[in-house]
Amino acid sequence: MSDANSRSNEQQRVDYVTREIEMKEEKLYSKSSGVKESVMDLRRNFWEDVTVNLDEPDDVIETQASIKQQSELLSERERTHGKISGELKTLSRLKDSPYFGRIDFTESPGNIKEQIYIGIASLMDHDEEDFLVYDWRAPISSLYYDYPPGDAAYETIDGTISGEISLKRQFIIRRGLIQGMFDTGVTIGDQLLQQTLGNNASTTMKSIVATIQQEQNKIIRNERSKLLIVQGAAGSGKTSAALQRIAYLMYRYRGELNPDNVVLFSPNPLFSSYVSNVLPELGEENVRQLTFQDYLQNRIEKNMTIESPFEQMEYVLTQADADGNAVRMKNINYKSSADFKHLIDQFVVHLESKGIQFKNITLQKQIIISSDEIRDYFYALDSTIAIPNKMELVLKWLLKELRKRQKSEKDKDWILERAELLDKEDYLKAYQENQEIDVDDPALEEEMLRSEVAKRIFAPIKKRIKRMEFVNVPATYRQLFVEWTPDIATQDWNEICDQTAENLLNRFLPWEDATPYLYFRNSILGADSSRSVRYLFIDEAQDFSEFQFAYLHDVFPYTRMTLLGDVNQAIFANTADGNPLIPGKVEEHHERITLTKSYRSTRQIVEFTSCFAPGKEKIEPFNREGFLPQLIRLNKKTELDQTLMENLRKLQDSGNETIAIICKTMEESHGVYTLLNDKIPVKQITEETYAFEKGILILPVYLAKGIEFDAVIIPDASIQSYSREEDRTLLYTACTRAMHHLIMISRAEPSEFILNTPRDKYEEKIM
C-alpha cells in the first residue's frame, strides 16, 4: 500500500473515531442536563421534601432519617453529574487528538492481527464491545513503549502474553487531522520528539505520554520496588515520568487507590503550580502536593519560627564573613547527618529516667495541675513502658482530673456569673442540647446553665491536653544542648550547643534543626504519620539530607517511595552524604534507574554544560540542533542594564516567550530587578511566588529547580560569583534550565568552569 493510501485510510479512521466521540458526547450532554436539573431541583426543594417534626423523640428520629435520606440522594446525583463532566472533558481531549500510536500485534499462538491504537484514555465503540482506543496505561499499551517490530510480550493479571509486532506507527493529530505519520522502531521517533521539544516553554509542564521513552516507561510501570531511585540528567524527563507514574498507578489500582493515598514533595510552590495540570490532562485528580517545609510546618508548634531551605541557602551563599558563620556551618554539617539522629536517640533513652519538661495546667490564671505533679505522675509509671505510651497514660489521667475539677468548679459563684453573660443564641443552644430539662423549674435550669458554662470553659483546656500541649517539647529539646552530656559527640559540640540553645530560647528553628526537632518531638509524643499514604514521591531528592531521609523512612515505614533527582544539581548544603541517588549498595526490593539522555536543551547547550557537570554520571544530548551558548565579556564602559536589555530584545524578537535571568542569590536577583524594573516589564520570582507566567523572569537559581525556559541569561558568570567547587553545581543548574538559548555575562574574568570548557563548545563576544 502506498504512503498516500495508507495516510488516507488512517485519516478515514480518525474521522470515524471522531464521529463516535461526537455521538457519545451528545448522549452524555443529554444525560448531563437531566442530572443537572435534578441536582438543582433537589437543592432548591431540599427542605420541602423533608419531614420536620420535633415535638416527640420519635418524630425527631424520623426527621433525622428524612434529612439523611434526602442528603444521600443529593450526593448521589452530584457524584453522577461530576462523573459525566469528567467523561465529557476526556472526550473533548480525545476529539482533538484521538490517539498518538498504533501497533499491529499478533498473539501467539494464532494468526489474528489486532490493530491497537493508543491514546490518553480508552474509548469503546457505540456498542461498548470493542476498543477504538486503548489507554496508554493499559497493559497491552506497554508494547508500544518497550518493543520495536518483532517478538514482544506484555504482562497481565493472568500472566505473560507473547506475540509479534508487525507494525509500529506514530501520529501527530491536531483538531482531528493527521499532521504527521511515520513508522518507527523501539524508541519514540525523533520526528515526534523534535516537534514536541522544539516548541516554546510553557507556563505549565506538558503531558507528553506520546513521547515516553523505554527507560521512562520502566519508571512509570514499576510495581515491584519498595524504593525506586531515579537518577536523571537535567531535562531527562524525571518529573514527567513521576507524574505519569502516579497516573498509571491510579489507573492500575482504580478502586483501591485514591488521591489521598499519594503524596508528592515538590521543591517549591512555583514548581507545584508548574506541574499542576499534568494529572488532570491525563484524566486523574491532582494528588497532595506540598513542600517538605510545609510538611514540617504543619507538625511543629505554631509559635515556632522555621527557617526555609531557601533562607538557609541564601545565608550560606551571602554570609560567609558574618559573625557565627563558622559555627553555623558546623551546625549544618552535623545536623544533616545520621550521627545526630543517633545522638537524639541516646538523649531519648536518657529521658526515660528524668529530664522531660512539662507545663502547668491553668484555669483563670490559676494553676490547677502543676508541672511537678505531671512530672511525678509520668516518672512513677512503669519504666519499661515506652515514652509515647506513657504520654497517652498521662493524657488520660489529666482528662480524668479535669473532669473532677470541672464538676467541683460548676458549683462556684463565678460560673453562675458567667452563665448570666450568655447571649440569647448560646441560651437557645444550651436548651436544645438539654431538652429533657424542665424550664419551669428554676433549680434545674440553673444546674443546666452551670453545667453548660463549665463544659465550655474546660473544653479548650481538654483540647490542648489532647494535643499533648502539657509537654514542653522546646524546653525538653533544649536540655539536649544545655543539661545533658553525651558519651560521644562531634568535636564542635560545645559551639553547636551554644548556638542552638540561643535559637531555641528565641523559638527559632534554622532549617538544619527543623527535621531533627520534629523527629525528637515524635520520639516523645509519638509519630503522627498517616498510614493512608501508600506512595510517596520526592522530586529534587538530591536536596534532602541524610537525616531527612532517615526521618522519612521512620515516618513512612510501609510506604512505597519514588525518589527523583540529579546529583549534579545538589545545590543545598550537606545533602550529598548518604543520599540514595549516589550509586551504592542496592538493597532487596530497591531499584535504581538512570536516565542519561537530556531532552530539554539543544545539543549545543547539553554538550557545553556536560563539560563542567559536577558528577560523573553520563549525559547524552538529544539530537536537536540550536545555537552555541554565548559568553559576553563586558568592558569597563558597557553598562549591565544596556547589555541585558539589548539581549532580551533580541531573544523576544526571535520568538522566545519565557526568558529567565537566573542569579546566584536572591540578593543578586533584587539588584537586577531594581536595575531593569523601570525600563522594561519584568517579574521577580520569590519564595512566595505561586504562579508561573510567561515573560521576563528574574530569580535565584535555587527557585529555578525543575523548571525550563526558552532562554536563560546569567547576569554575572564571573569568577567572583562561581569559583568554589560548590558553585559548580549552581552554575550547572542555572545553565541547564535553558531550552534554546543560553547567554552568560561577565564584567570581570569569567568563571573557570566556563573557561576550562573546550573553546568550540561556546562562542565569546566582547562588548
Side-chain angles (χ1 to χ4, degrees), residues 152-408:
Y154 66 96
E155 300 295 328
T156 70
I157 296 172
D158 299 323
T160 303
I161 306 294
S162 300
E164 182 185 3
I165 296 174
S166 54
L167 174 73
K168 184 172 180 179
R169 179 169 289 167
Q170 292 176 248
F171 303 93
I172 300 171
I173 303 173
R174 298 290 181 268
R175 298 181 181 177
L177 295 174
I178 297 177
Q179 296 182 351
M181 184 185 97
F182 34 86
D183 296 346
T184 186
V186 60
T187 55
I188 308 307
D190 279 1
Q191 299 99 317
L192 186 56
L193 270 173
Q194 289 281 9
Q195 187 187 67
T196 303
L197 301 170
N199 295 330
N200 289 88
S202 170
T203 56
T204 52
M205 178 174 279
K206 300 167 188 171
S207 162
I208 47 175
V209 291
T211 58
I212 292 168
Q213 302 296 291
Q214 190 177 22
E215 284 302 306
Q216 293 168 330
N217 198 41
K218 287 181 184 177
I219 297 165
I220 293 165
R221 293 175 188 264
N222 183 295
E223 295 179 37
R224 62 187 176 274
S225 304
K226 189 172 189 307
L227 176 65
L228 179 61
I229 301 164
V230 181
Q231 157 61 37
S236 58
K238 300 181 294 293
T239 302
S240 181
L243 293 165
Q244 283 155 182
R245 173 166 165 72
I246 292 171
Y248 170 77
L249 292 168
M250 301 291 283
Y251 175 90
R252 172 72 176 80
Y253 298 105
R254 194 169 298 281
E256 300 174 43
L257 206 60
N258 64 61
D260 288 334
N261 300 140
V262 183
V263 171
L264 169 63
F265 284 149
S266 53
N268 54 60
L270 181 65
F271 179 87
S272 298
S273 165
Y274 180 61
V275 302
S276 62
N277 73 310
V278 174
L279 287 171
E281 271 190 17
L282 297 172
E284 299 293 349
E285 292 179 59
N286 264 325
V287 298
R288 278 188 285 167
Q289 276 190 56
L290 69 165
T291 65
F292 187 53
Q293 182 188 353
D294 290 335
Y295 177 85
L296 298 179
Q297 198 108 39
N298 292 337
R299 287 158 176 78
I300 289 174
E301 293 90 337
K302 298 293 182 249
N303 59 359
M304 299 285 284
T305 301
I306 303 175
E307 179 188 50
S308 76
F310 310 113
E311 288 170 332
Q312 184 203 63
M313 182 75 178
E314 191 73 11
Y315 175 89
V316 170
L317 294 176
T318 63
Q319 302 298 313
D321 299 324
D323 289 342
N325 177 271
V327 178
R328 174 78 195 271
M329 295 311 297
K330 291 172 185 176
N331 241 315
I332 293 173
N333 283 338
Y334 186 53
K335 289 176 181 172
S336 299
S337 70
D339 288 344
F340 185 52
K341 182 174 180 288
H342 299 323
L343 192 77
I344 291 175
D345 291 336
Q346 289 178 35
F347 180 58
V348 171
V349 171
H350 161 77
L351 293 175
E352 290 174 358
S353 56
K354 62 177 179 179
I356 296 180
Q357 306 293 298
F358 295 96
K359 298 177 187 175
N360 295 322
I361 308 295
T362 61
L363 174 70
Q364 303 291 301
K365 298 183 180 179
Q366 297 295 315
I367 297 172
I368 53 175
I369 305 173
S370 71
S371 58
D372 289 345
E373 288 176 87
I374 300 172
R375 183 197 62 220
D376 292 346
Y377 185 88
F378 177 88
Y379 282 111
L381 292 168
D382 189 335
S383 60
T384 62
I385 302 173
I387 291 177
N389 294 340
K390 280 188 181 182
M391 291 300 180
E392 287 290 339
L393 294 173
V394 173
L395 184 153
K396 290 176 182 176
W397 170 70
L398 286 172
L399 290 176
K400 184 178 177 183
E401 291 298 306
L402 276 181
R403 282 193 292 273
K404 292 179 190 173
R405 190 62 184 248
Q406 181 178 325
K407 195 173 180 181
S408 65

Side-chain angles (χ1 to χ4, degrees), residues 511-752:
W511 181 241
E512 63 271 17
D513 260 303
T515 306
Y517 176 80
L518 184 55
Y519 173 72
F520 171 76
R521 193 176 193 279
N522 289 348
S523 298
I524 62 172
L525 300 186
D528 59 350
S529 64
S530 172
R531 294 187 182 272
S532 68
V533 178
R534 291 173 55 184
Y535 290 91
L536 176 65
F537 290 75
I538 302 177
D539 206 350
E540 304 294 344
Q542 75 278 351
D543 293 333
F544 281 67
S545 71
E546 187 179 26
F547 193 119
Q548 289 168 338
F549 276 121
Y551 167 79
L552 288 170
H553 281 297
D554 273 6
V555 176
F556 297 103
Y558 309 110
T559 300
R560 291 179 180 269
M561 293 190 193
T562 301
L563 310 181
L564 308 113
D566 178 11
V567 291
N568 289 321
Q569 299 179 64
I571 65 173
F572 287 96
N574 302 95
T575 54
D577 292 341
N579 195 301
L581 293 174
I582 298 170
K585 181 184 174 186
V586 177
E587 297 180 24
E588 190 179 358
H589 305 302
H590 291 189
E591 187 167 349
R592 178 184 174 84
I593 295 175
T594 302
L595 302 176
T596 58
K597 185 167 278 190
S598 177
Y599 298 97
R600 172 187 297 139
S601 308
T602 60
R603 179 180 60 80
Q604 286 78 4
I605 293 174
V606 174
E607 288 181 349
F608 168 73
T609 55
S610 298
C611 293
F612 57 89
K616 296 177 182 177
E617 300 284 341
K618 182 182 177 185
I619 304 170
E620 302 173 69
F622 177 70
N623 194 25
R624 180 164 63 86
E625 294 298 318
F627 302 95
L628 283 172
Q630 193 175 71
L631 172 64
I632 298 175
R633 292 197 192 215
L634 299 183
N635 59 42
K636 292 181 180 179
K637 294 179 181 178
T638 308
E639 296 296 334
L640 177 61
D641 57 345
Q642 293 173 354
T643 305
L644 285 170
M645 288 191 294
E646 182 180 326
N647 282 279
L648 287 167
R649 274 194 292 270
K650 285 180 183 176
L651 289 169
Q652 287 181 320
D653 290 344
S654 301
N656 295 281
E657 296 177 344
T658 59
I659 304 170
I661 300 175
I662 301 182
C663 304
K664 183 180 178 183
T665 65
M666 184 62 77
E667 189 177 273
E668 184 191 350
S669 179
H670 287 319
V672 174
Y673 178 74
T674 303
L675 197 66
L676 297 178
N677 186 37
D678 60 348
K679 298 179 179 70
I680 52 172
V682 292
K683 179 177 175 60
Q684 187 177 14
I685 303 296
T686 68
E687 209 179 321
E688 282 75 43
T689 303
Y690 286 80
F692 183 44
E693 300 172 5
K694 289 185 178 181
I696 301 169
L697 310 172
I698 303 171
L699 69 166
V701 60
Y702 49 79
L703 292 181
K705 299 294 289 287
I707 302 174
E708 59 190 29
F709 308 92
D710 293 330
V712 166
I713 297 177
I714 297 174
D716 181 7
S718 69
I719 197 166
Q720 281 93 337
S721 280
Y722 300 98
S723 60
R724 300 175 303 171
E725 189 55 35
E726 48 265 43
D727 295 331
R728 180 192 296 270
T729 304
L730 294 166
L731 184 62
Y732 174 81
T733 302
C735 291
T736 54
R737 302 306 94 201
M739 291 178 66
H740 309 298
H741 298 272
L742 173 61
I743 298 171
M744 300 159 288
I745 300 172
S746 179
R747 182 178 297 283
E749 182 73 1
S751 167
E752 288 184 357

